Amino acid sequence: MRCWNDSFLSAKLLTGCILVISFFLSCNNPFLPTAPKYKIGFSQCTGGDNWRKAMLQEMQRELAFHPEITFEMLDAEGNSSKQAEQIQQLVDSKVDILIVSPNEAEPITPVVEKAFSKGIPVITIDRRITSSRYNAYIGADNYEIGKTAGSYVADLLNGKGKILEIWGLPGSSPAVDRHNGFQDALRTFPEIEIVASVNGDWEKEIAEKALPEVLVRYPEIDIIFGHNDIMVLGAYGVCKKMGREDNIRFIGVDGLAGPGGGIEMVNEGILDATFLYSTGGEDAIRVAINILENQPYQKENILVTTAIDPSNVRIMKQQTDKILSQQKDIQRQKEMIGQQLEIYKNQRTILYVMGFSLIFVLVLGGLALYSMREKQAANRVLADKNQEIILQRNQIMEMAEKARNATEEKFRFFTNISHEFRTPLTLILGPVEELLETDYSKENIKHQLGLIRRNSIRLLYLVEQLMDFRKIENGKMRVQATENDLSRFIKDIYQAFEFPAQKRVIDFRLVGAEKPMIVWFDKNMLDKVLFNLLSNAFKFTNDHGFIYIRIQENRPHNQVLISVEDNGRGMAPEQVSRVFERFYQGESYSTSGTGLGLSLSRELIHLHKGSIGVESEDLKGTRFFIFLPLGNSHFGKEEIGQKDNNYVTMEYTGQYIENEKLAYLTEENKPEKETSVLIIEDNLELMGFLNQALARDYHILEATDGRKGLEVARESIPDLIICDVMLPEINGLRVVSYLKSDLYTSHIPIVLLTAQDTEKQSVVGLEIGADSYIIKPFNLNFLKATLKSLLKNREILRERFISEISMDIPVSTENRLDKKFISQFVAAVENNLSNPELNVQDICEQIGMSRIQVYRKVKALMGYSVGDYIKHARLKKAEFLLTENVLSISEIAYQVGFNSPAYFSTAFKSAYNLSPTEFKLQKNTTTD
């Protein structure tokens, strides 16, 4: 039985060996090296520097996973003519796809376009060509890198210092873009100066030769910024020889990993910072494979950048060192696979020679199986390593994105806080200037002083918010809890808000405060929290709405609940989830506040060992709730304070205006005003102040948001508009854009008010059509003078329109829409002059506008009523025909639309002080 089993096994083994031999000798053996499927050609402008070497290494690492692809790289050694010849050489070798890293764009563009026209896909990497005839571009945004570096340097210098810039190759797009981005970032810092520039041609040695003389000439340099790390390394060496390395900070670009790279230089303290400039080698190969395999791909692939400085260099170095270590492992595994493949080739040769030898087949089969297992294991290791590298790269990118988002939130916070400061300052400085310049009655002085007081308190509150925020950040905010009657405490706060609630007819209630409720808390902190919650409730609740404060004791859980509920604007789910984030503001609320109040409130409640939450539904209302523990066992000894009997709650300074009549604007002395001014402003106190200041000279129209402002402007066609930039619904810049692109309103002068004191913001406002741009806080006399100047210029322009109107010559005007309207209007009148029944309605139908709109537009631009202009045009045409001396006076009268020659003669004599016959005679006499 055993012998039979052995024979069976031997037969089975022999059969298996024969099958193995047949398998290995067959043409379809998958273990044989596969024939190349695609050929990628790569034209490199120069391969001598570390950055280019890193790019090539990334390409080769990615190609390790694609044995079916052959790769040919030609190095032009910095010679553009040679690179053009090499690209043609690659095209002639019939590559399937071409990757080009240009040295100079113009010399190689024709040959790249020629390859593209032949149907060869083209990928440009690092630099672009001067044509769009390529399939994909991969590279970093050099302008953005320069701008990021400039912002970093400005922050490092605290807005003041002197910089030496080391250029790359002059005229090359990376050097120019990095310089422009760096310079643009520093434009807003007038005390930062680039005192000198050095040409380094991307080379360390060239930079070293040029630097000593410049450093001697400018001993006050604070920072050396180089367009790559290697030139900055040379600068560091020169400074070290001169003993100045400790007084100068060194900033570079590239951020390469490994020995001699920018990350190592930052880690060793040679560089103060470097900015990551990804090579894009891996991305180029992946995009190339997607193109070859007809898979989706993006044409523009912009690589991200990030700052690497002492704050993050340690983790970056750890990550990059690990990546480099894994790259070496991958290379080692690749070499092992190559060795295994070589062994396999030798075995295959032996199989052909000793193919029918059973013993050799068994040995060869064992080796083949072993080789297969090793290859599979190596592939698994490579796949795991690659997955780990991808995961780490994604983590780095996620960290960079979080840092970018945090920076954007801080920038938005400082923009908003500046707006919050400037509006109260305007409402303080404006009344002060008026009090100093005008003899007001006692009532008006009281009104102005009240305005000053309310906005001074508002400024004080904003400053205290900033100070509290800073204390919490530094861990210096401490609770000083005392035993208090919570019901009595909240009643005091409630009373501070009763007046605005009455003014706005808001149902404002305090529920659950009927009996004393003893709770340990810090009065000043809890006052700030409740003040913030109630201020927000009043801000986002419409008139005739409701706001409820509820207090409820929960003994089983040993805590007390305080809630503030309203039926105001509410919040979307995404806003609810982020409402307590620092600096966060939802899109609907971006025109007001600092984004700090709710975050500060949460921190103050947490210091009380309590919790705060929110429930809200969009357009249906919001409920904030606070849980505070009862007793004082949860506080430490240092958190128990002294009883403060002198505490006074904060004063509410919300936006409401009393309907008081000013002495000089009573019905008896209110002047008649022909000129109307529309004020679009969401701050009601500022609206009231402007109304009071301008009402003597103008008829005032009002709108509290951008959408309402557009409606009022289109309905009323005011003579001038004053508009704030930051408005609810539609911001001021969009309001200007809409009005200036609307035929009905394009002629109206617009003055923009803003708190953003930047040149870029002013340029944007003026470019979209604003006639003037005034920054808060502003001088009231300057505002008044600006309004008078704009209205005077509009009057001059109107006279120019009238003087230039001709029956056959188009009107010349700078405003395209005004020109279009006047041309259409004049043409409609001229084409119908012979019609004695011509009226306003006929003209409106021809140009497609309403009667009231045509009347207001003609009056604003030309100073005529429509009827007066028709009469004026008929007489001008009659004057021309009389001068021609071809038609009789009766024929002329009917041709220009008069019902009778007698009426024509009367109208003509009234306009020219001569009858038609006398005028014609005078002209003929002059001609003779």
Side-chain angles (χ1 to χ4, degrees):
M1 187 68 180
R2 183 178 179 183
C3 293
W4 185 87
N5 286 337
D6 290 340
S7 299
F8 176 78
L9 291 172
S10 298
K12 189 175 181 181
L13 182 60
L14 179 60
T15 302
C17 290
I18 293 172
L19 290 174
V20 170
I21 291 173
S22 302
F23 177 77
F24 275 94
L25 294 177
S26 66
C27 296
N28 296 323
N29 184 357
F31 295 102
L32 292 175
T34 57
K37 186 177 180 181
Y38 301 112
K39 181 178 181 180
I40 297 177
F42 176 40
S43 173
Q44 175 65 282
C45 61
T46 178
D49 61 75
N50 291 337
W51 192 84
R52 302 283 174 182
K53 291 176 182 177
M55 178 191 293
L56 181 60
Q57 289 171 0
E58 288 185 6
M59 289 182 173
Q60 291 172 338
R61 182 172 65 250
E62 188 64 24
L63 288 167
F65 301 103
H66 301 279
E68 75 279 8
I69 295 176
T70 58
F71 180 76
E72 182 178 358
M73 191 274 284
L74 297 178
D75 184 359
E77 299 176 344
N79 188 319
S80 298
S81 300
K82 183 177 180 181
Q83 187 173 19
E85 294 174 2
Q86 289 179 342
I87 292 172
Q88 185 61 50
Q89 182 180 339
L90 291 171
V91 171
D92 295 339
S93 68
K94 302 190 182 303
V95 295
D96 296 293
I97 191 167
L98 182 63
I99 301 175
V100 179
S101 177
N103 181 43
E104 295 176 291
E106 291 187 10
I108 67 167
T109 296
V111 69
V112 171
E113 288 182 325
K114 183 177 178 182
F116 184 87
S117 64
K118 286 186 176 182
I120 299 175
V122 176
I123 298 173
T124 62
I125 184 171
D126 182 35
R127 303 175 189 174
R128 302 178 188 270
I129 60 173
T130 59
S131 166
S132 62
R133 292 172 63 81
Y134 57 84
N135 295 77
Y137 166 74
I138 297 166
D141 187 337
N142 282 292
Y143 176 86
E144 191 61 32
I145 288 174
K147 191 171 183 180
T148 302
S151 299
Y152 182 91
V153 166
D155 185 62
L156 199 62
L157 290 173
N158 292 320
K160 183 176 182 181
K162 299 185 182 297
I163 301 171
L164 167 63
E165 184 178 7
I166 306 177
W167 279 64
L169 182 65
S172 66
S173 60
V176 173
D177 288 347
R178 290 177 188 181
H179 168 75
N180 289 340
F182 186 74
Q183 194 174 51
D184 288 348
L186 297 178
R187 288 188 190 281
T188 56
F189 300 92
E191 293 187 21
I192 296 179
E193 180 183 4
I194 301 176
V195 297
S197 297
V198 172
N199 174 19
D201 285 348
W202 307 112
E203 298 293 335
K204 174 184 175 184
E205 292 75 15
I206 296 176
E208 286 176 337
K209 290 180 181 178
L211 274 171
E213 180 182 351
V214 177
L215 289 171
V216 171
R217 192 185 316 157
Y218 298 98
E220 70 280 15
I221 289 172
D222 299 299
I223 283 183
I224 294 179
F225 168 67
H227 289 188
N228 68 8
D229 291 335
I230 196 67
M231 293 190 298
V232 181
L233 177 62
Y236 177 84
V238 172
C239 291
K240 190 170 184 180
K241 290 179 181 179
M242 299 173 69
R244 295 179 59 183
E245 74 277 11
D246 293 333
N247 299 325
I248 297 177
R249 297 179 179 178
F250 301 85
I251 309 294
V253 176
D254 281 348
L256 291 179
I263 293 177
E264 185 178 77
M265 293 182 201
V266 174
N267 190 54
E268 292 178 356
I270 296 174
L271 300 184
D272 291 272
T274 183
F275 292 84
L276 181 63
Y277 184 57
S278 302
T279 65
E282 291 179 349
D283 301 87
I285 298 300
R286 289 171 185 163
V287 172
I289 292 170
N290 285 340
I291 293 173
L292 293 172
E293 297 290 353
N294 293 320
Q295 297 296 319
Y297 68 95
Q298 292 184 346
K299 182 170 183 178
E300 299 294 324
N301 300 271
I302 306 302
L303 304 176
V304 299
T305 186
T306 187
I308 302 171
D309 60 16
S311 67
N312 63 357
V313 70
R314 184 176 179 183
I315 188 170
M316 292 288 290
K317 188 173 188 302
Q318 289 175 350
Q319 295 290 346
T320 54
D321 288 347
K322 191 169 184 179
I323 290 171
L324 291 174
S325 175
Q326 291 168 348
Q327 289 175 358
K328 291 179 181 178
D329 291 341
I330 291 171
Q331 186 63 32
R332 189 161 55 250
Q333 294 291 342
K334 182 180 177 183
E335 292 172 0
M336 290 175 62
I337 292 172
Q339 293 172 1
Q340 293 297 327
L341 290 173
E342 189 64 27
I343 293 172
Y344 177 77
K345 290 177 183 178
N346 294 334
Q347 292 171 347
R348 184 168 174 267
T349 303
I350 296 172
L351 276 174
Y352 278 122
V353 176
M354 308 286 291
F356 295 100
S357 173
L358 181 57
I359 298 174
F360 194 75
V361 167
L362 292 173
V363 174
L364 184 61
L367 291 174
L369 290 173
Y370 174 76
S371 176
M372 180 182 66
R373 289 172 183 167
E374 286 293 307
K375 181 178 179 180
Q376 290 175 341
N379 285 337
R380 282 195 297 271
V381 171
L382 286 173
D384 291 342
K385 296 291 186 184
N386 187 53
Q387 187 63 33
E388 188 177 350
I389 291 172
I390 292 173
L391 180 62
Q392 292 170 350
R393 185 193 64 182
N394 292 340
Q395 289 174 344
I396 293 173
M397 292 176 66
E398 184 178 352
M399 291 168 59
E401 181 65 19
K402 287 181 179 178
R404 186 184 66 81
N405 291 336
T407 301
E408 288 180 357
E409 294 289 355
K410 287 185 179 180
F411 285 159
R412 185 168 65 175
F413 162 71
F414 284 112
T415 298
N416 288 338
I417 196 68
S418 68
H419 182 270
E420 289 292 317
F421 277 130
R422 286 178 181 272
T423 298
L425 283 172
T426 300
L427 290 168
I428 292 170
L429 294 176
V432 168
E433 289 169 358
E434 281 204 297
L435 289 173
L436 291 173
E437 296 178 7
T438 310
D439 184 17
Y440 278 133
S441 66
K442 182 178 179 181
E443 289 76 12
N444 289 327
I445 292 176
K446 184 177 179 181
H447 173 78
Q448 300 286 35
L449 291 176
L451 196 62
I452 293 170
R453 181 176 178 274
R454 286 195 298 275
N455 286 279
S456 298
I457 293 171
R458 174 63 179 158
L459 278 178
L460 179 61
Y461 175 65
L462 291 171
V463 171
E464 286 184 350
Q465 267 197 331
L466 287 174
M467 292 175 67
D468 289 344
F469 163 63
R470 191 59 181 165
K471 287 179 182 178
I472 289 175
E473 273 200 334
N474 295 333
K476 295 181 178 180
M477 180 70 83
R478 293 287 183 270
V479 172
Q480 292 296 299
T482 57
E483 189 177 27
N484 302 287
D485 180 358
L486 181 63
S487 299
R488 178 63 180 274
F489 174 77
I490 294 180
K491 281 181 182 178
D492 291 340
I493 298 176
Y494 169 81
Q495 291 171 358
F497 285 83
E498 281 187 309
F499 178 69
Q502 292 171 2
K503 296 294 290 184
R504 296 175 53 191
V505 197
I506 290 176
D507 182 9
F508 185 44
R509 302 183 189 179
L510 174 57
V511 182
E514 295 82 8
K515 60 181 181 178
M517 191 177 299
I518 304 304
V519 181
W520 285 78
F521 60 86
D522 186 316
K523 282 188 173 184
N524 289 310
M525 288 188 181
L526 192 58
D527 178 78
K528 291 174 181 176
V529 174
L530 293 175
F531 174 84
N532 183 265
L533 297 183
L534 286 171
S535 295
N536 285 340
F538 275 85
K539 186 185 300 182
F540 300 120
T541 300
N542 295 326
D543 294 353
H544 304 281
F546 72 78
I547 299 173
Y548 298 154
I549 308 173
R550 288 187 171 89
I551 311 171
Q552 182 178 351
E553 190 173 1
N554 189 345
R555 283 293 177 184
H557 293 86
N558 198 36
Q559 61 186 7
V560 64
L561 167 64
I562 307 169
S563 66
V564 176
E565 180 181 359
D566 64 65
N567 66 338
R569 191 181 303 176
M571 292 180 282
E574 190 271 338
Q575 293 170 330
V576 172
S577 64
R578 300 186 60 192
V579 71
F580 291 110
E581 290 183 17
R582 189 168 295 168
F583 309 131
Y584 173 74
Q585 292 176 289
E587 292 181 3
S588 302
Y589 314 104
S590 61
T591 61
S592 62
T594 63
L596 193 61
L598 288 175
S599 173
L600 183 61
S601 296
R602 181 182 61 177
E603 298 296 335
L604 295 178
I605 294 300
H606 285 175
L607 289 174
H608 280 80
K609 312 301 187 293
S611 62
I612 184 171
V614 61
E615 296 172 349
S616 185
E617 191 172 348
D618 199 12
L619 303 178
K620 291 188 178 180
T622 302
R623 175 176 175 265
F624 283 93
F625 50 88
I626 299 169
F627 290 99
L628 292 177
L630 293 174
N632 62 0
S633 59
H634 51 284
F635 290 120
K637 291 182 179 180
E638 69 282 359
E639 294 175 324
I640 302 296
Q642 300 295 322
K643 191 72 173 179
D644 182 8
N645 296 319
N646 297 321
Y647 163 78
V648 178
T649 186
M650 297 181 68
E651 180 174 343
Y652 179 67
T653 58
Q655 295 180 3
Y656 61 89
I657 298 175
E658 299 181 28
N659 296 321
E660 53 190 42
K661 289 186 178 181
L662 300 177
Y664 60 87
L665 287 180
T666 58
E667 294 299 326
E668 291 75 15
N669 62 11
K670 186 183 294 184
E672 292 294 329
K673 300 173 284 287
E674 296 183 357
T675 305
S676 61
V677 174
L678 169 61
I679 303 174
I680 309 174
E681 171 60 60
D682 63 322
N683 185 292
L684 298 184
E685 287 193 334
L686 183 56
M687 170 80 81
F689 174 69
L690 291 174
N691 192 329
Q692 171 188 322
L694 303 177
R696 178 181 292 277
D697 300 315
Y698 308 104
H699 174 64
I700 302 299
L701 304 170
E702 296 180 347
T704 55
D705 61 64
R707 192 178 305 281
K708 181 67 174 176
L710 289 174
E711 293 174 0
V712 175
R714 287 166 178 159
E715 290 173 2
S716 304
I717 312 295
D719 295 289
L720 189 139
I721 296 174
I722 300 173
C723 181
D724 200 344
V725 171
M726 299 184 73
L727 292 170
E729 302 293 339
I730 301 174
N731 68 44
L733 296 178
R734 291 174 61 194
V735 168
V736 174
S737 179
Y738 291 154
L739 292 175
K740 289 298 184 179
S741 60
D742 191 330
L743 182 63
Y744 300 153
T745 58
S746 59
H747 66 283
I748 302 174
I750 301 175
V751 176
L752 278 176
L753 302 180
T754 183
Q756 299 183 20
D757 187 9
T758 63
E759 183 177 318
K760 181 179 179 181
Q761 185 74 20
S762 301
V763 170
V764 171
L766 295 174
E767 283 181 346
I768 63 173
D771 296 85
S772 185
Y773 205 88
I774 297 179
I775 297 168
K776 301 176 185 176
F778 54 80
N779 183 285
L780 185 60
N781 290 330
F782 176 74
L783 175 63
K784 290 180 178 179
T786 300
L787 301 187
K788 288 182 180 179
S789 176
L790 290 175
L791 291 171
K792 182 178 180 181
N793 290 339
R794 175 57 59 180
E795 182 65 27
I796 293 172
L797 185 60
R798 182 171 64 187
E799 292 175 0
R800 178 184 171 192
F801 287 164
I802 295 170
S803 66
E804 291 184 351
I805 292 173
S806 169
M807 305 313 297
D808 50 11
I809 300 176
V811 176
S812 174
T813 174
E814 290 77 4
N815 190 303
R816 178 179 57 82
L817 292 177
D818 289 349
K819 177 181 178 180
K820 178 182 177 182
F821 169 78
I822 293 178
S823 297
Q824 289 178 339
F825 176 76
V826 171
V829 173
E830 181 183 2
N831 293 337
N832 294 276
L833 277 180
S834 61
N835 178 12
E837 304 299 325
L838 177 65
N839 56 38
V840 179
Q841 190 61 37
D842 297 331
I843 297 173
C844 292
E845 291 175 358
Q846 289 190 40
I847 64 179
M849 292 176 66
S850 70
R851 182 187 184 93
I852 189 66
Q853 296 289 357
V854 170
Y855 176 82
R856 289 175 175 171
K857 194 84 174 175
V858 171
K859 192 69 174 176
L861 290 175
M862 303 166 64
Y864 284 109
S865 67
V866 177
D868 287 344
Y869 177 75
I870 294 174
K871 182 178 178 181
H872 169 78
R874 283 174 169 160
L875 292 175
K876 292 291 288 186
K877 185 66 175 287
E879 177 188 352
F880 172 75
L881 294 175
L882 287 169
T883 305
E884 290 291 310
N885 200 23
V886 175
L887 301 175
S888 68
I889 292 175
S890 296
E891 289 173 330
I892 292 172
Y894 290 120
Q895 185 164 336
V896 297
F898 284 91
N899 286 318
S900 70
Y903 177 52
F904 165 65
S905 297
T906 301
F908 191 89
K909 187 170 184 177
S910 176
Y912 293 94
N913 294 322
L914 292 171
S915 68
T917 303
E918 292 170 341
F919 180 85
K920 189 174 183 180
L921 203 65
Q922 187 182 71
K923 288 292 181 181
N924 290 337
T925 304
T926 304
T927 304
D928 294 340

